[in-house]
Amino acid sequence: MLILSVESSCDETAVAVVENGRKVLADEIFSQVALHEIYGGVVPEIAARSHLEVITLLADRALKTAGVARRDIDAVACTYAPGLIGAVLVGVNFAKSAALALGVPLIPVHHIRGHIAANYLAYPELEPPFLCLAISGGNTMLVDVRDYTDMAILGQTRDDAAGECFDKSARVLGLGYPGGKPIDDLSKQGDDHAYELPRPYVNDGNPYDMSFSGLKTAVVNLAHHAEQTGEPLDKAGLAASLCRAVSESLVGRTMTAAAELGYGHIAVAGGVAANSRIRHDFEAACQKAGKTLYVPPLRLCGDNAAMIGAQGYYEFLAGHVADSSLNAYATMPL
Ligand code: KG4
C-alpha cells in the first residue's frame, strides 16, 4: 500500500511516499528555520504562509523521487493534531484535496504517534508492545505503546517540553534558534559538572511526570546574573550541565518505568532524541539493564512526513479514516 503523507505542524513542511508503513520511497522536507531565526522562535503566521507556498511543490517532488504516478497512491495521510493551528490547517486542507482528487481514503495522524512510528522505519523488526519516550519541541511524554494504535501516556511534562527548555536556554545564551543542536554541540567542549542545576522533580502523584521549567529558569537566572555582575559565564560548562540534567531526568524515569512494567524494548523519538548526551546515556542504561534500545537516525528524529506515512498505514489498518469534514486541532489526547 502506497501512502502519500503530509506533515506541517510546526516549521517543517514535509511530504513523503511510504510503502506498507515501513519503506520510505520519498521524504521531502523544507525547513523554515531561516524564516524564523531572526525572531528567535517560530512565528505562527509566517509558518502557515510558508507551508502554503511550498507544499504542492514538495508533493510533486515526492512523487517524482518515489517514481510513482498519482494513480498509484492508495491513501493520503496527514498530521491533523497537535501543532500550530494555522500550520496544521494547511497540511490538512492539502491532504483533503489530494485525497478527493485521487479518489483515495484520507488518514488523520496524531503528530506524536508519528514521531513514535519513525522507529518502525529505522527498525523493520520493531513491533509493539514497547515503551517509548517521545521528546520534542512541544511535547515530552512517556508512552506505553501497547499496539500500533493503542497507546497510553504513563507520564508527561507538567510544564515545558524538554525541547522548549533547550530552546529557551539557548536563546538566553545567545546560541540562536532552534537551540537544541547548538547546546548539544557546545556541550561537547564543557564540563558537565560545571554547574549544579536542579533536577526537575514532581513528587505529588505520578512518578513518571516531569517538569522542565525550573531547569530552564535556573539557566536563565545564571545567564542574567553573569550579565548583571560581569562575572564570567562558562557557556560550554552550562550547556554540558544542562544536557546532563535533562538526560538524567528522562533516562532515569524511562528505565524505572521499563523495569516496573517489564518492558525489554525501549524506544526514543522526537527532535530532542537527536541529543548526543541523551542517546549516549540511553545506550549505557539499556546495555546495563539488558534492554534493547531503538532510537531513529537523526534525519527521522525531527519533524518529517515519512513518520506520518508509517503511522498512517497502521491507522488505516485499524480503520481510522476520516471523511471530508476532517478538521485540524492545536491539541489532542494521544
Ligand atoms: O520533533 P521536532 O523536530 O519538532 C516538534 O515536533 O516539536 O523537535 C524540535 C525540537 C527543538 O526544541 C530542538 O531544539 C530540539 O528538538 N532538538 C534538539 C537537538 N536537535 C533538535 N534538542 C537537543 N539536542 C539536539 N541535538
Side-chain angles (χ1 to χ4, degrees):
M1 177 181 193
L2 285 183
I3 294 183
L4 181 75
S5 51
V6 174
E7 157 61 37
S8 70
S9 65
C10 190
D11 58 348
E12 261 97 24
T13 322
V15 183
V17 179
V18 179
E19 188 178 10
N20 296 335
R22 296 276 177 164
K23 188 172 171 198
V24 182
L25 303 187
D27 184 14
E28 301 292 332
I29 302 179
F30 173 76
S31 168
Q32 302 178 0
V33 164
L35 297 177
H36 301 290
E37 63 185 351
I38 55 164
Y39 304 102
V42 180
V43 182
E45 186 179 335
I46 293 177
R49 289 179 182 279
S50 175
H51 288 311
L52 195 60
E53 275 172 11
V54 302
I55 199 161
T56 311
L57 198 79
L58 286 186
D60 204 31
R61 204 193 280 171
L63 289 171
K64 285 199 180 95
T65 307
V68 301
R70 289 175 198 187
R71 64 176 177 278
D72 298 330
I73 295 297
D74 298 302
V76 179
C78 64
T79 296
Y80 78 116
L84 299 173
I85 193 62
V88 191
L89 277 166
V90 175
V92 168
N93 203 33
F94 175 84
K96 286 168 81 163
S97 310
L100 180 70
L102 298 174
V104 297
L106 174 66
I107 311 166
V109 176
H110 190 289
H111 181 70
I112 299 300
R113 287 187 178 207
H115 272 303
I116 295 169
N119 281 288
Y120 302 140
L121 299 170
Y123 301 98
E125 73 281 12
L126 178 63
E127 287 177 3
F130 57 88
L131 187 66
C132 185
L133 176 71
I135 35 178
S136 68
N139 296 272
T140 298
M141 49 179 72
L142 190 56
V143 183
D144 181 1
V145 185
R146 298 173 186 141
D147 206 340
Y148 288 104
T149 59
D150 176 15
M151 305 172 199
I153 297 176
L154 298 171
Q156 59 190 320
T157 182
R158 294 270 182 97
D159 38 58
D160 294 339
E164 162 97 359
C165 178
F166 279 122
D167 290 338
K168 289 283 154 57
S169 300
R171 191 198 287 192
V172 81
L173 295 176
L175 297 175
Y177 177 87
K181 182 155 182 353
I183 287 203
D184 190 358
D185 293 343
L186 187 62
S187 72
K188 289 170 189 158
Q189 302 157 30
D191 171 9
D192 64 0
H193 285 76
Y195 293 90
E196 212 35 68
L197 297 173
R199 293 294 177 277
Y201 241 121
V202 178
N203 57 4
D204 61 341
N206 187 345
Y208 302 129
D209 272 354
M210 299 158 253
S211 158
F212 292 98
S213 71
L215 190 52
K216 175 187 77 180
T217 305
V219 175
V220 170
N221 286 345
L222 280 165
H224 286 166
H225 178 79
E227 212 175 274
Q228 284 158 10
T229 61
E231 283 173 25
L233 185 69
D234 171 11
K235 284 192 187 181
L238 187 50
S241 303
L242 175 61
C243 288
R244 179 166 79 97
V246 173
S247 180
E248 283 178 3
S249 96
L250 295 172
V251 177
R253 278 180 180 77
T254 307
M255 298 311 292
T256 305
E260 278 188 10
L261 276 75
Y263 273 127
H265 292 188
I266 297 174
V268 188
V272 182
N275 185 268
S276 46
R277 174 72 192 240
I278 294 171
R279 294 171 88 92
H280 170 273
D281 289 354
F282 262 115
E283 272 161 27
C286 285
Q287 200 171 16
K288 193 169 162 210
K291 314 264 184 208
T292 310
L293 177 67
Y294 302 89
V295 192
L298 298 191
R299 193 180 52 83
L300 288 171
C301 286
D303 288 346
N304 65 86
M307 67 186 197
I308 302 303
Q311 183 61 26
Y313 175 72
Y314 294 104
E315 298 290 348
F316 179 81
L317 293 185
H320 300 165
V321 292
D323 63 26
S324 58
S325 66
L326 178 68
N327 215 322
Y329 302 90
T331 59
M332 172 72 59
L334 187 65

